[in-house]
């Protein structure tokens, strides 16, 4: 339960960043800081999954 409380906000933030990235790309205004942030979040998610053993 505690791990869910920690992981859920991370997922929500990553989703919001992904939606922002998609809208920026559609406008052809690529914010590379946002892109690297999202890549960092994805790497963090895989790392946390590896460390905690949670996820598919």
């Amino acid at each position: 339960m505690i791990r869910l409380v920690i992981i859920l906000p991370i997922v929500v933030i990553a989703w919001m960043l992904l939606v922002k990235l998609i809208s920026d790309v559609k406008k052809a205004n690529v914010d590379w800081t946002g892109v690297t942030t999202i890549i960092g979040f994805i790497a963090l998610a895989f790392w946390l999954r590896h460390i905690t053993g949670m996820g598919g």
Side-chain angles (χ1 to χ4, degrees):
M1 183 64 188
I2 293 172
R3 285 188 282 187
L4 182 66
V5 171
I6 293 170
I7 291 172
L8 191 60
I10 293 173
V11 170
V12 170
I13 291 169
W15 179 256
M16 288 177 5
L17 285 171
L18 185 64
V19 170
K20 181 185 181 309
L21 175 68
I22 291 171
S23 66
D24 285 349
V25 168
K26 284 182 180 176
K27 287 185 249 173
N29 178 23
V30 179
D31 174 20
W32 289 108
T33 306
V35 171
T36 53
T37 302
I38 289 173
I39 291 171
F41 264 103
I42 292 170
L44 180 66
F46 277 106
W47 179 74
L48 284 173
R49 191 179 93 177
H50 176 73
I51 295 297
T52 62
M54 288 183 64

